[in-house]
Amino acid sequence: MVVQALKDQGVDTVFGYPGGAVLPIYDEIFQQNDIRHVLVRHEQGAVHAAEGYARSTGRPGVVLVTSGPGATNAVTGLTDALMDSIPIVVLTGQVPTFMIGTDGFQEADTVGITRPCTKHNWLVKDTSKLSEIIHQAFHVAKSGRPGPTLIDIPKDVQFATGTYTPPAKARVSHYQPQVKGDTAAITRLVEMIETAERPIFYTGGGVINSGPGASQLLRELVEATGFPITSTLMGLGAYPASGDKWLGMLGMHGLYEANMAMHDCDLMINVGARFDDRITGRLDSFSPGSKKAHIDIDPSSINKVIHVDLPIIGDVGHVLEDLLRIWKARGRKVQKDALAKWWTKIEKWQAVKCLSYTNSDKIIKPQYALERLEELTRGMDRYVATEVGQHQMWAAQFMGFEEPGRWLTSGGLGTMGYGLPATVGAQMAHPDSLVINVAGDASWLMNMQEMGTAVQFRLPIKQFILNNERLGMVRQWQQLLHGERYSHSWSESLPDFVKLAEAFGCKGRMVKDPAELDDAIKEMLAYDGPFILDVLVEKHENCFPMIPSGEPHNKMLLGDASTDDAIGSSGAVLV
């Protein structure tokens, strides 16, 4: 039943780790060839790999793990997927039904433990309901705001027999989120677009989750209106980075021009974002002079953080389609003169060049490393994952994404150890594509065991480690906000990453001379197999721009990126 249900859901890959409570399912997997099973080295790695698969394909990732510690090891990945709205389905084994509650060997209350970090979960006690529940789990994971679901299957249920329910007969009518937006509300938004003088599109991961059609509609709307557009970390790629209306990422480490435009706009159109605290800064000072419209499929996201003037509940793709149709029918009106003045103001903010940094011919600056990686891989069939920390923000700042689904990162939860297994999942889904993980030395070590998975399955994933021998973002906050008291933020006894690569059976190289960086990157890209490139970078470089915790958008630390004259009238802060 389990294997047939997965086949009927179109599943071709499962990431998992066997154990006693799921051996009946593993025995069935052994006897078929339609579904590939990827043996990970840790259950957290399995869920992150499934996330990488899901983000890069738009299809649910599937995980199979055993009971007890197998299930509890998956909790971090489940929470990560819930925060970032990633569709995954996790199947866990459980002790037999008659042993539940007895503290049996490898028993845990999986349903209780995972209730807060899944969209929905099930404990299956009746074999006749098993297949229908699996179909329901896929429906819930994919529908509305996507997210993780979990099915806990006791071992005696796995051994039993029953009647299989095909997907077409599964009961899913009880969960049908609203996808069409209210026409009157959409018309009101069109009226706001027609009269706005300083508008901005603020976009998020919901555009990508809605599917490629939503991204195309967004691009058409931006080009037709001429409005500037910015994006959250999760929304990168929905609008092309090469587009002339693109202001870059906004938020705590977003671009100066994006944050200033958000602060000074008079109409903010939120498309599939959730007003996350990394975006808003201080709530009472967040874009104080703007009218705010919010398009979101999740009603619970509306007015949860920021009160908006115009809520529109619905799928981004459907709402944008109706928005474009109504706006065109009313004559494609915008305030052209006011919009030209708005762009003049934005261009002055862009002239600050907030990503400028002082380069060196002696030591590799992390910004330079990512500039070179971007330059040498631009235009390739490329997927980029990251770990979490300074390197993640630099990658978002210096690497450009032209289409959705190419950027794989942990946004809401900020999970160190995410990137390496995510590249495993993405490479399994796209065997002929270039898949790179931009990592920090500390983050990368958290799930380094998945290099074994990459070698076993001959996955040519590229690990681009910016090695500053520090917990970089922690050290930065300690420097700026905690009186330079560096409490446990310096990594000691780091491994030799080249020898580690060799120990795993793949290739590695260390580079520290800026003059040799291009050659090292080219070697990494040319190698037909997993590769670890250990890039020794400036140890105390800080990631700017930065909105300090508790400050509004127009109070940014820009480091050495600009002059006092350039920002003196803006209210920004120079560190």
Side-chain angles (χ1 to χ4, degrees):
M1 282 187 184
V2 171
V3 172
Q4 187 61 48
L6 296 180
K7 290 179 182 178
D8 286 348
Q9 288 293 336
V11 174
D12 57 18
T13 307
V14 172
F15 302 91
Y17 202 94
V22 283
L23 287 184
I25 299 174
Y26 269 90
D27 190 51
E28 197 64 31
I29 286 175
F30 183 83
Q31 299 179 62
Q32 59 82 50
N33 293 311
D34 296 318
I35 296 174
R36 299 172 297 178
H37 179 276
V38 179
L39 178 65
V40 297
R41 279 21 180 197
H42 190 284
E43 292 87 355
Q44 182 184 349
V47 186
H48 292 327
E51 287 186 274
Y53 179 98
R55 290 183 193 223
S56 64
T57 64
R59 304 193 300 271
V62 181
V63 176
L64 175 61
V65 297
T66 195
S67 62
T72 59
N73 280 346
V75 166
T76 298
L78 285 167
T79 310
D80 190 272
L82 185 71
M83 292 282 278
D84 286 348
S85 306
I86 307 303
I88 60 172
V89 177
V90 177
L91 308 174
T92 57
Q94 184 55 276
V95 299
T97 53
F98 58 84
M99 287 183 62
I100 292 176
T102 67
D103 293 333
F105 177 66
Q106 290 195 332
E107 180 188 0
D109 178 11
T110 300
V111 167
I113 291 168
T114 61
R115 185 172 288 117
C117 56
T118 53
K119 281 187 73 177
H120 196 66
N121 61 15
W122 296 260
L123 171 62
V124 183
K125 293 185 176 181
D126 183 351
T127 304
S128 65
K129 296 180 180 178
L130 175 59
S131 52
E132 181 176 46
I133 287 174
I134 293 174
H135 298 317
Q136 289 176 349
F138 275 87
H139 173 73
V140 172
K142 293 184 293 183
S143 302
R145 178 181 175 180
T149 57
L150 181 142
I151 309 162
D152 201 29
I153 314 174
K155 193 168 184 178
D156 58 330
V157 172
Q158 297 174 43
F159 274 121
T161 58
T163 304
Y164 179 77
T165 302
K169 294 186 177 181
R171 186 177 67 91
V172 296
S173 59
H174 56 299
Y175 183 64
Q176 298 293 338
Q178 177 180 335
V179 295
K180 292 288 287 184
D182 178 70
T183 302
I186 295 172
T187 303
R188 174 68 185 125
L189 178 54
V190 169
E191 293 170 353
M192 296 166 78
I193 287 172
E194 291 172 343
T195 58
E197 297 186 350
R198 300 185 310 280
I200 190 168
F201 286 109
Y202 153 41
T203 60
V207 182
I208 294 171
N209 286 336
S210 181
S215 295
Q216 285 301 120
L217 288 165
L218 175 68
R219 295 171 190 215
E220 183 181 347
L221 184 62
V222 170
E223 296 309 318
T225 59
F227 289 4
I229 178 171
T230 182
S231 166
T232 67
L233 183 73
M234 300 305 301
L236 297 178
Y239 180 84
S242 60
D244 60 359
K245 307 299 185 295
W246 176 239
L247 302 188
M249 182 181 73
L250 80 156
M252 178 170 280
H253 291 285
L255 271 63
Y256 179 70
E257 50 265 36
N259 284 331
M260 291 302 295
M262 283 283 282
H263 187 271
D264 282 12
C265 69
D266 69 349
L267 174 62
M268 179 188 298
I269 306 171
N270 178 332
V271 187
R274 59 187 178 87
F275 291 109
D276 174 68
D277 63 282
R278 302 291 96 169
I279 299 303
T280 60
R282 199 171 80 210
L283 292 178
D284 62 1
S285 300
F286 175 67
S287 193
S290 68
K291 295 288 187 182
K292 300 174 181 68
H294 189 183
I295 303 169
D296 205 297
I297 199 166
D298 180 9
S300 71
S301 290
I302 303 288
N303 293 328
K304 182 167 74 173
V305 178
I306 296 290
H307 177 78
V308 297
D309 301 279
L310 180 63
I312 301 176
I313 297 170
D315 178 80
V316 164
H318 286 280
V319 174
L320 289 180
E321 184 176 23
D322 289 341
L323 181 66
L324 261 168
R325 176 178 52 79
I326 295 170
W327 178 72
K328 288 177 179 178
R330 289 169 57 101
R332 300 171 173 256
K333 289 182 290 218
V334 294
Q335 297 294 317
K336 291 183 179 179
D337 291 343
L339 193 57
K341 292 179 182 177
W342 179 226
W343 271 108
T344 299
K345 193 172 186 181
I346 289 172
E347 287 162 5
K348 290 180 180 177
W349 291 326
Q350 290 173 324
V352 169
K353 298 192 180 302
C354 67
L355 295 183
S356 299
Y357 63 95
T358 304
N359 206 359
S360 169
D361 59 0
K362 300 283 193 298
I363 191 166
I364 298 172
K365 290 296 185 84
Q367 302 95 320
Y368 177 72
L370 285 165
E371 282 185 329
R372 298 313 303 154
L373 181 66
E374 165 68 11
E375 180 64 28
L376 293 170
T377 62
R378 187 187 298 130
M380 293 184 178
D381 178 15
R382 180 188 76 179
Y383 295 84
V384 178
T386 75
E387 304 291 345
V388 168
Q390 287 179 317
H391 62 274
Q392 176 189 30
M393 296 297 104
W394 279 315
Q397 292 171 346
F398 287 92
M399 301 194 76
F401 299 92
E402 298 298 305
E403 54 188 292
R406 300 288 180 150
W407 167 249
L408 320 171
T409 197
S410 173
L413 195 61
T415 307
M416 294 174 71
Y418 168 86
L420 168 50
T423 57
V424 168
Q427 193 78 78
M428 285 297 301
H430 307 279
D432 298 323
S433 302
L434 171 63
V435 182
I436 308 169
N437 179 32
V438 176
D441 51 281
S443 256
W444 193 86
L445 290 174
M446 290 221 170
N447 274 316
M448 69 175 186
Q449 74 283 342
E450 300 309 325
M451 285 303 289
T453 305
V455 171
Q456 177 182 342
F457 288 87
R458 297 180 176 86
L459 303 175
I461 55 176
K462 313 304 180 186
Q463 305 301 306
F464 190 75
I465 300 175
L466 299 182
N467 186 350
N468 58 11
E469 299 178 1
R470 305 287 186 272
L471 311 184
M473 193 63 84
V474 173
R475 185 212 56 75
Q476 176 169 334
W477 280 57
Q478 288 172 338
Q479 176 189 339
L480 299 178
L481 303 173
H482 296 279
E484 300 188 20
R485 293 179 292 277
Y486 300 114
S487 179
H488 300 281
S489 57
W490 291 20
S491 300
E492 296 186 10
S493 302
L494 283 173
D496 181 325
F497 287 104
V498 176
K499 289 182 178 177
L500 191 61
E502 294 168 355
F504 274 114
C506 57
K507 186 76 182 292
R509 176 172 172 176
M510 185 270 285
V511 59
K512 60 182 179 180
D513 185 344
E516 297 176 4
L517 180 60
D518 275 20
D519 180 68
I521 293 174
K522 290 175 182 177
E523 181 183 352
M524 175 185 74
L525 298 175
Y527 183 71
D528 185 21
F531 196 103
I532 299 173
L533 181 56
D534 182 17
V535 185
L536 303 188
V537 297
E538 166 63 52
K539 291 179 172 56
H540 298 112
E541 193 77 5
N542 286 329
C543 183
F544 294 115
M546 176 183 176
I547 302 174
S549 183
E551 294 290 348
H553 272 161
N554 63 339
K555 298 287 185 182
M556 300 183 70
L557 302 179
L558 298 184
D560 297 324
S562 58
T563 67
D564 288 296
D565 291 338
I567 64 169
S569 61
S570 69
V573 180
L574 199 65
V575 83

